[in-house]
Amino acid sequence: SMPLTDGSADRGGIVVGSLARRSGGMAQLFRNLGLLHVQGHDIDWDQVLGADTGSCLPDLPTYAFQREPYWMDTPKPSGDLRSVGLEVSEHPWLGAALALADGEGHLLTGRLSLTDQPWLAEHAAFGTVLVPGTGLLDIALTAAHHVGADTVQELTLLEPLVLTDETPLRIQVTIGAPTPHGTRPLTIHSRAESTPDDTPWRQHAAGELGHAESATAESFTELAQWPVLGTERVDLDGFYDAFRARGLEYGPAFQGLTELWRDGSTAYGLVRLPDSLAPDDFGIHPALLDAALHTLMGVR
């Protein structure tokens, strides 16, 4: 059959069989007729299929084909950071830490993307996804614990940390040497992962890390009973619509305020981390702390 096939190819023809060993039957015959058809040969399909069989050509879909990938998103492996002189950070957004040789400073680095943290897409303002300020606060608290401090004494948010689907961000947290007052300066920067090395970093926060005062924290004894005595319940139906009217879009991950009670100018809220989220290794999960701040709407 090879000389016949080669000779036919030289003259622009095609050779197909009718039956094959151990593969005979009508299916094989129809397959070969199909091979002839796609090569441009006219086939009398009415004669092949029978005009009285009621066979017909199906219509193609009248809509554009919908394509959807089904690949599983898996976190990128961190590798053996200690083998390259780095310390491992347990924070979900910070992968490594380094004590600087010049002075007493420290550097924490990480990577933030909507692929790794898809729930962040549910925190937006006027259609732009923003990392909540509570997330930056938790980064600062992690930095404090890393250097032996226990509080974030001050944190100023300078520029929103914007996330997009296309561009993961590199995060850098810089901790300075101790000041004479025993505090340490802190800065948080980011830069798009795809930008050249000479691209300037954007600063999002600056603050101070230190130690808690020795005074005893205020005790909220009224919270020993829930609901708090003397309060009236606030209906939460449409509660988050008020945020949306101001351009703040909170998805289910950030709607953790489940009860709201009020006594005059004082509001009490019950917040829960939605079932779709895991506590992970955050000090305080940003979505949970952000929901706690929503209680402030109860006094307006």
Side-chain angles (χ1 to χ4, degrees):
S1 61
M2 292 300 296
L4 177 61
T5 302
D6 295 340
S8 180
D10 290 341
R11 290 166 177 77
I14 180 174
V15 174
V16 297
S18 57
L19 299 176
R21 185 176 299 170
R22 293 187 298 274
S23 300
M26 293 301 295
Q28 181 70 21
L29 183 60
F30 287 149
R31 175 184 180 277
N32 291 325
L33 288 173
L35 290 175
L36 290 172
H37 176 70
V38 298
Q39 292 295 327
H41 294 272
D42 291 331
I43 304 295
D44 188 348
W45 291 110
D46 286 339
Q47 184 176 354
V48 172
L49 299 175
D52 59 348
T53 61
S55 61
C56 62
L57 296 176
D59 295 329
L60 289 173
T62 58
Y63 57 88
F65 288 102
Q66 303 294 320
R67 296 181 176 89
E68 182 177 353
Y70 289 93
W71 298 109
M72 294 182 65
D73 294 325
T74 56
K76 294 185 176 180
S78 59
D80 186 2
L81 297 178
R82 290 185 175 87
S83 67
V84 292
L86 299 175
E87 301 175 49
V88 178
S89 171
E90 298 298 331
H91 193 280
W93 300 351
L94 301 173
L98 178 67
L100 302 179
D102 183 12
E104 299 181 59
H106 292 255
L107 179 67
L108 287 81
T109 67
R111 182 179 184 273
L112 192 55
S113 75
L114 289 177
T115 299
D116 297 332
Q117 305 287 333
W119 56 273
L120 285 174
E122 299 180 31
H123 185 277
F126 299 100
T128 300
V129 176
L130 305 177
V131 175
T134 54
L136 299 181
L137 178 58
D138 192 65
I139 286 178
L141 183 60
T142 297
H145 294 163
H146 181 76
V147 295
D150 52 23
T151 63
V152 179
Q153 291 192 351
E154 178 182 320
L155 188 69
T156 302
L157 304 182
L158 304 174
E159 179 181 334
L161 183 53
V162 178
L163 278 177
T164 65
D165 290 325
E166 300 81 12
T167 309
L169 297 179
R170 299 289 188 188
I171 305 294
Q172 278 196 7
V173 183
T174 304
I175 309 167
T179 68
H181 302 289
T183 61
R184 285 179 178 265
L186 167 102
T187 58
I188 301 175
H189 290 78
S190 80
R191 189 175 69 181
E193 189 175 61
S194 59
T195 56
D197 290 340
D198 58 354
T199 303
W201 289 75
R202 306 182 77 91
Q203 183 174 354
H204 301 283
E208 287 189 350
L209 312 177
H211 297 278
E213 298 291 338
S214 58
T216 303
E218 183 179 355
S219 176
F220 297 95
T221 56
E222 68 271 24
L223 292 178
Q225 178 176 338
W226 187 265
V228 177
L229 290 176
T231 60
E232 59 177 349
R233 187 162 194 164
V234 178
D235 187 0
L236 291 181
D237 288 343
F239 179 79
Y240 283 96
D241 293 337
F243 287 95
R244 194 171 298 109
R246 300 182 182 187
L248 302 176
E249 303 160 27
Y250 292 115
F254 284 87
Q255 296 183 16
L257 183 63
T258 60
E259 293 183 21
L260 182 60
W261 299 78
R262 181 170 51 203
D263 178 11
S265 61
T266 303
Y268 302 89
L270 178 64
V271 297
R272 290 190 175 93
L273 191 65
D275 294 337
S276 60
L277 299 181
D280 293 328
D281 291 313
F282 292 103
I284 302 177
H285 197 289
L288 185 65
L289 184 55
D290 196 81
L293 297 178
H294 300 169
T295 304
L296 294 173
M297 288 290 288
V299 296
R300 295 184 178 182

